[in-house]
Structures are given as C-alpha cells and as structure tokens.
Amino acid sequence: MQLMVRVKPGSRRGPLVEDTPDGLVVHVRERAVDGAANEGVIRVLADHFTVAPRRVRILRGHAARIKRVEVEE
C-alpha cells in the first residue's frame, strides 16, 4: 500500500503516528540531518503497521516533509 505522510522531525512528541483528516502525521525525535529522520520514519511506520522495517520504503520526498511511502504487507 502507498500513502502520503507528513513528517515532523525533531519532535518531542515522537515517536508517534497520528491519523488526521489530512492523512498520517509521523513525529520522530531524529533531526533531518544525514537521513536520520528518514530512518526514524521507516522505523516508526514499521512499528505502526507491525511489519519489518525492510518492508517500508520511501518512494518520493527524501528531502521533504511530505513523503510518499510504500508499506508491503
């Protein structure tokens, strides 16, 4: 399944996934430096959907806050 997520890097609320009317919002503690936030997003989404982290891929938006993510089930 593919979905759009909004990422909040460096969040004190994280790790957390919120389901809002606009879609999923992923709060991660990692800062957006050297791909750390992207790795955090993959880990948090894998936990949220109860899949292995290798089954979560960022397809678009590696350097953006809005990302298209694929989760294999």
Side-chain angles (χ1 to χ4, degrees):
M1 110 180 92
Q2 291 187 10
L3 44 110
M4 298 292 285
V5 297
R6 177 179 293 275
V7 178
K8 303 265 182 152
S11 173
R12 292 182 183 180
R13 297 180 65 192
L16 171 71
V17 177
E18 286 184 318
D19 192 11
T20 66
D22 297 330
L24 290 180
V25 178
V26 179
H27 299 266
V28 292
R29 290 192 180 268
E30 294 84 1
R31 306 291 302 169
V33 178
D34 295 331
N38 287 339
E39 292 173 15
V41 167
I42 289 171
R43 268 195 321 274
V44 170
L45 287 175
D47 285 344
H48 181 73
F49 290 108
T50 61
V51 297
R54 70 180 187 280
R55 297 207 174 266
V56 180
R57 272 189 333 160
I58 298 174
L59 300 176
R60 289 201 175 130
H62 291 277
R65 288 181 187 236
I66 298 176
K67 303 180 183 304
R68 176 170 291 283
V69 178
E70 179 179 48
V71 178
E72 296 177 16
E73 297 187 67

